Amino acid sequence: MADNDELEQKHISDLLNAFMDKDYDKVRLLCSLIGLRDPKVPLQRISIYNDTVLHMAAHSKRKDLVFDLLNMIPEDRNHQLSDIKNTEGNTLLHEVATSNDMKDAAVELLKRNPDLTIVSNNSGEKPIFCAARCGQTEMFELLAKEMKLEERNPEESKAHLQRNDGTTVLHVSIATECFELPLFIDKNYPYLIEQRDQSSMTALQHLACNPTAFRRREIQTRQGFIGLLNKSKIEVQGVIGELFSDIYETFFSVTIKAMTGYKSLLEPVKLLVEKDTSWDTNINSQAMSLGESNKDPEIEEYSSKLSWEKKEGQNSQESSTNKDKKSNESALFLATMSNIQEIVKEVLYSQPQTLKHTNKEGMNILHVAILYRHIDIFDMVIKHEVLSKRLSSATDDEGNSVLHMVSRKRKSQASEKMQSPTLQLRDELLLFEKVKSASKNLVTNPLNNHNKTAEELFAAANELLHQDAKEWLMRTTENCTILSVFIATVAFAAVYTVPGGPNQDTGIPILRSKPFFLVFILADVISLALALSSVGIFLSILTSSFPLQDFKIYLFKKLILGIICLVLSVSMMAVAFGTTIVLMMSHNQENVFWSVVAFLPVPIFFLSYSPLRSAVLRPCRKWFKSIFVKFFAIVVILILLFQLFLFLIGYLVFKGFCWTVEKACSFKRHLCWNICGISSLPESDTGFSEPSASPLDQV
């Protein structure tokens, strides 16, 4: 007896090791050998989770192995397939349902035991739920057809399409971001759209909390190019052809796949929005809990009038759970918080009446959009004049208008955007100006319940940010001033130490006749001039009084101009360095090599410049764009004028050529008459009676 137990344990260990090594031929061999003695070997438990050999084969997605193992089971044992479960309560069909590639195995299992479709695991999940959880659309459709769910009434179907905690297949399919399956579920089982899970959230509310799903197209395209750059195993032969093939497959396949996935996402969004009732439920719950305050945990706000009198500009955090916050918000507000414009746009056209809905704090969609700094949604709503007038004039429970909301911000906002205090303050000022312009003449009451205007509230809320921005700007300006003075010093000293040195007798530079010597002088002079200009600009910033409104445009224009001068000054110094190397090595035969190496610091400087450049110089893009457009227009006009001038010259040359040919022919005829002895010619034949003017004179 002990020998049999040891032999059985050895067989179990060998089978488990074969699965771990993915040696499925060995699994077949072991099962065949053991099956001679025990025909139930495919149902033998071999793992600590009570998985049978069939469970392991199904989990390994080996369809052929599953068929071979099923053929080893006697027909009188098929009824046991629904009773054999692992520790999680999963049957063989639960494991098979997790992959579309196992459809044939699922069909074979259902032929042997049709009751497998209605068996639940420990969480109350049936095999069709496992297919939805893994995003397997084809397997889901197969099991739904076998279960004949469309022929059953909604209440009976719900029992098969949800688990014990109330989560439906629609909830879990949205979580997997396989949006072909939610579209199928929306069309065939529309009664699941308004179903709520254990968090009291509908499927649309869950989708409105997942902004990454709507950004998959950009992420996938970006990953495709990164994958192409990381490729290292390309054969030398035919490398160009393979490279273009990889580019084509990577770009076009990823783009088509991403566009298809994005399109399949928008279709279920439309169906979910049309039949969503979360906003209606929230209105009813809001009416029942009127007078109660349920604050957002991520929002800092001024809690009471006493706190305003003691310390203005300080925010207080109300305590509530994140789950309550999400379940009590409608899908429209959740989409606005997550900056999902697709859902907001669909709500705007399908259910425009929901835009008038307010949350428990009395805020409408414009309040929330400004609070979470999602200006794209604010612009989308404000374009509709009829809706924007009512929404812009509305106030929340504390009397705050949309302009007051600029002063409120989420607690995690600063951590999400790693910006300097100066950039944050500039963004806040620009946002305040934008909202003020959009809500002009629409704010009925300029004071909130704390008797604060929007301007006073903004100044108080950003007092600390104003001080931090002032200190940051002073530190940055001081550092840039030191660097500018250093560059000016080096550029000034470079004039007295020109490449090659001066002639000892005359003092004239020896290399003055070289072409690159003029480039060196110009680069050095420009570097010195730009460095001194940046010093003056930075000193004007340091001597400023730093008023709040100057952080919007005035100080940034100066800082941008100073940094541009500084960057150009360093670039010109790099050019002067390059010309010096070229002049010193001009006698070398490898002149081209030294020319390339000498000017290498210029692109390196631009590529390795700090991220401050992109953050501060971003406003310059509009200026450069306008300048480029004007320059391009001038160039086009000059090209057209030049072409017109060439056409006129060509026309005059052609006319002159024709006039010359005509006179030559007339002279030839006159000469022929003289040779023939005819002394007089008709005036019409000679052509010399009244000479005509040349084409140039005619013009």
Side-chain angles (χ1 to χ4, degrees):
M1 190 69 170
D3 294 338
N4 292 334
D5 293 339
E6 292 180 0
L7 182 61
E8 184 179 357
Q9 291 297 326
K10 184 178 184 303
H11 290 159
I12 292 175
S13 178
D14 292 340
L15 284 172
L16 185 59
N17 290 331
F19 275 109
M20 297 295 291
D21 296 336
K22 297 182 180 181
D23 190 355
Y24 303 111
D25 293 334
K26 185 178 180 181
V27 173
R28 290 188 181 89
L29 179 60
L30 290 174
C31 290
S32 300
L33 294 177
I34 303 173
L36 297 176
R37 181 172 53 86
D38 185 6
K40 297 187 298 181
V41 62
L43 304 180
Q44 178 69 41
R45 303 183 186 276
I46 60 175
S47 72
I48 60 174
Y49 301 105
N50 287 328
D51 289 314
T52 65
V53 179
L54 272 170
H55 279 91
M56 296 294 292
H59 185 72
S60 302
K61 307 296 187 296
R62 302 297 301 183
K63 179 175 61 176
D64 53 347
L65 182 58
V66 171
F67 275 103
D68 294 340
L69 294 175
L70 287 175
N71 292 331
M72 297 180 186
I73 301 177
E75 293 184 1
D76 57 347
R77 301 285 185 177
N78 288 333
H79 67 279
Q80 297 180 357
L81 294 177
S82 59
D83 299 328
I84 299 176
K85 301 180 180 180
N86 58 13
T87 304
E88 297 177 352
N90 291 332
T91 64
L92 297 177
L93 190 58
H94 283 87
E95 299 292 342
V96 170
T98 59
S99 175
N100 287 330
D101 297 333
M102 304 292 290
K103 287 194 302 180
D104 296 338
V107 173
E108 180 64 23
L109 284 172
L110 292 177
K111 286 181 181 180
R112 293 172 176 265
N113 192 338
D115 294 337
L116 286 169
T117 57
I118 60 175
V119 179
S120 301
N121 60 12
N122 298 340
S123 300
E125 299 176 352
K126 293 180 172 58
I128 193 172
F129 194 97
C130 294
R133 177 161 47 82
C134 297
Q136 306 301 309
T137 305
E138 297 178 5
M139 181 65 73
F140 183 91
E141 295 177 2
L142 172 65
L143 295 177
K145 183 178 179 181
E146 293 290 335
M147 298 173 68
K148 300 180 180 179
L149 293 178
E150 297 181 1
E151 301 177 3
R152 304 186 182 187
N153 59 65
E155 292 299 327
E156 187 179 356
S157 298
K158 283 182 183 179
H160 299 287
L161 298 176
Q162 67 181 9
R163 61 189 181 193
N164 296 337
D165 59 2
T167 302
T168 65
V169 291
L170 184 58
H171 289 93
V172 74
S173 62
I174 287 178
T176 59
E177 298 186 7
C178 180
F179 295 106
E180 295 179 359
L181 183 55
L183 180 60
F184 176 81
I185 296 174
D186 292 343
K187 291 181 178 179
N188 294 275
Y189 314 105
Y191 46 83
L192 295 178
I193 294 179
E194 58 184 16
Q195 194 74 17
R196 294 177 177 269
D197 62 357
Q198 60 178 352
S199 302
S200 299
M201 295 178 64
T202 63
L204 182 60
Q205 287 177 302
H206 277 288
L207 185 60
C209 297
N210 187 14
T212 56
F214 293 83
R215 303 190 185 111
R216 289 177 65 194
R217 180 162 59 110
E218 299 177 2
I219 295 174
Q220 285 181 354
T221 304
R222 203 175 297 123
Q223 288 178 346
F225 282 109
I226 293 176
L228 177 65
L229 294 176
N230 288 334
K231 290 195 175 198
S232 58
K233 296 181 180 179
I234 299 179
E235 296 180 0
V236 177
Q237 185 177 3
V239 63
I240 298 179
E242 292 190 13
L243 180 60
F244 278 96
S245 176
D246 288 340
I247 293 175
Y248 178 83
E249 293 178 1
T250 302
F251 178 76
F252 285 97
S253 63
V254 169
T255 303
I256 293 173
K257 181 179 178 181
M259 292 295 292
T260 304
Y262 187 74
K263 184 179 179 181
S264 64
L265 169 60
L266 297 181
E267 293 179 0
V269 166
K270 184 177 181 181
L271 294 175
L272 290 173
V273 170
E274 289 177 353
K275 300 178 182 180
D276 181 68
T277 57
S278 61
W279 65 276
D280 192 16
T281 305
N282 287 327
I283 290 178
N284 296 332
S285 63
Q286 182 180 357
M288 294 175 59
S289 60
L290 185 63
E292 298 179 359
S293 60
N294 188 4
K295 304 297 182 182
D296 190 331
E298 296 182 347
I299 299 174
E300 294 181 347
E301 60 180 352
Y302 301 93
S303 58
S304 63
K305 185 176 181 179
L306 181 61
S307 64
W308 277 98
E309 294 175 354
K310 290 183 178 181
K311 192 172 184 179
E312 296 182 356
Q314 299 295 326
N315 297 333
S316 63
Q317 182 179 1
E318 299 294 334
S319 60
S320 61
T321 61
N322 191 36
K323 184 176 76 172
D324 293 338
K325 186 258 313 181
K326 290 185 179 298
S327 61
N328 289 330
E329 295 290 355
S330 65
L332 175 63
F333 286 99
L334 292 175
T336 304
M337 295 173 185
S338 302
N339 196 22
I340 303 178
Q341 303 176 30
E342 291 83 356
I343 295 181
V344 177
K345 185 183 297 184
E346 191 62 39
V347 172
L348 187 64
Y349 289 102
S350 299
Q351 296 183 6
Q353 68 275 12
T354 60
L355 295 178
K356 301 179 182 179
H357 171 52
T358 58
N359 60 10
K360 291 190 175 182
E361 297 179 5
M363 295 187 294
N364 58 32
I365 184 174
L366 291 183
H367 291 84
V368 177
I370 296 173
L371 178 64
Y372 282 79
R373 299 302 189 263
H374 298 320
I375 309 304
D376 294 334
I377 295 180
F378 176 82
D379 294 335
M380 184 192 306
V381 178
I382 210 70
K383 288 180 181 178
H384 298 266
E385 297 182 359
V386 179
L387 295 174
S388 62
K389 288 182 180 179
R390 292 182 177 271
L391 295 175
S392 300
S393 59
T395 58
D396 63 0
D397 295 341
E398 295 185 357
N400 293 321
S401 63
V402 291
L403 195 57
H404 286 85
M405 295 304 298
V406 181
S407 305
R408 297 179 59 182
K409 60 188 71 173
R410 292 179 300 143
K411 183 179 180 180
S412 59
Q413 183 182 1
S415 60
E416 289 178 358
K417 293 185 177 181
M418 301 301 294
Q419 289 183 331
S420 65
T422 307
L423 297 175
Q424 294 181 30
L425 183 58
R426 183 203 63 179
D427 293 342
E428 294 295 317
L429 288 168
L430 293 176
L431 177 60
F432 187 87
E433 183 181 9
K434 180 183 182 66
V435 176
K436 185 176 182 180
S437 176
S439 60
K440 189 177 182 180
N441 301 326
L442 295 178
V443 179
T444 57
N445 188 6
L447 299 177
N448 61 6
N449 295 347
H450 302 289
N451 294 323
K452 296 288 183 179
T453 63
E455 288 77 8
E456 294 173 345
L457 189 60
F458 183 84
N462 293 281
E463 183 178 359
L464 295 178
L465 184 60
H466 183 200
Q467 184 65 28
D468 293 340
K470 177 181 176 181
E471 295 176 359
W472 181 90
L473 189 60
M474 290 185 66
R475 290 196 306 269
T476 304
T477 307
E478 289 173 356
N479 295 332
C480 292
T481 303
I482 295 173
L483 181 59
S484 299
V485 172
F486 176 75
I487 295 173
T489 303
V490 174
F492 184 80
V495 178
Y496 297 96
T497 56
V498 293
N503 191 315
Q504 298 298 330
D505 298 331
T506 61
I508 300 175
I510 299 175
L511 301 177
R512 70 182 187 280
S513 60
K514 300 289 184 179
F516 275 96
F517 186 80
L518 180 60
V519 177
F520 166 79
I521 295 298
L522 290 176
D524 190 73
V525 171
I526 294 174
S527 177
L528 178 61
L530 291 174
L532 294 177
S533 300
S534 63
V535 170
I537 294 172
F538 292 138
L539 288 177
S540 66
I541 295 176
L542 290 173
T543 56
S544 174
S545 58
F546 300 100
L548 182 62
Q549 293 299 325
D550 284 358
F551 281 89
K552 182 170 57 178
I553 296 177
Y554 177 72
L555 291 176
F556 259 88
K557 280 187 175 180
K558 283 194 170 184
L559 181 61
I560 290 169
L561 185 59
I563 291 180
I564 290 175
C565 292
L566 178 60
V567 171
L568 294 178
S569 178
V570 176
S571 302
M572 289 297 103
M573 178 176 289
V575 172
F577 169 80
T579 55
T580 303
I581 298 297
V582 173
L583 288 171
M584 298 296 294
M585 304 300 298
S586 59
H587 62 280
N588 199 314
Q589 295 180 355
E590 300 177 352
N591 193 19
V592 177
F593 170 77
W594 288 110
S595 300
V596 174
V597 172
F599 291 100
L600 196 59
V602 179
I604 290 177
F605 170 72
F606 277 102
L607 292 176
S608 61
Y609 193 49
S610 67
L612 179 65
R613 178 191 60 186
S614 58
V616 177
L617 298 183
R618 189 179 295 113
C620 292
R621 293 179 180 176
K622 295 182 179 179
W623 303 347
F624 290 133
K625 184 177 180 181
S626 61
I627 293 174
F628 175 76
V629 170
K630 293 179 181 178
F631 176 77
F632 182 75
I634 294 174
V635 171
V636 170
I637 293 174
L638 291 177
I639 292 175
L640 292 177
L641 291 176
F642 181 71
Q643 291 179 349
L644 182 62
F645 176 74
L646 292 178
F647 176 78
L648 181 60
I649 294 297
Y651 174 75
L652 293 177
V653 170
F654 177 75
K655 292 290 292 184
F657 177 75
C658 293
W659 181 80
T660 303
V661 172
E662 181 182 357
K663 293 306 177 184
C665 293
S666 300
F667 178 77
K668 182 178 180 181
R669 288 197 301 269
H670 178 72
L671 184 61
C672 291
W673 283 101
N674 288 336
I675 294 174
C676 294
I678 301 175
S679 58
S680 60
L681 292 173
E683 293 182 358
S684 60
D685 294 333
T686 61
F688 288 98
S689 58
E690 293 181 1
S692 59
S694 65
L696 292 174
D697 296 334
Q698 293 176 3
V699 176

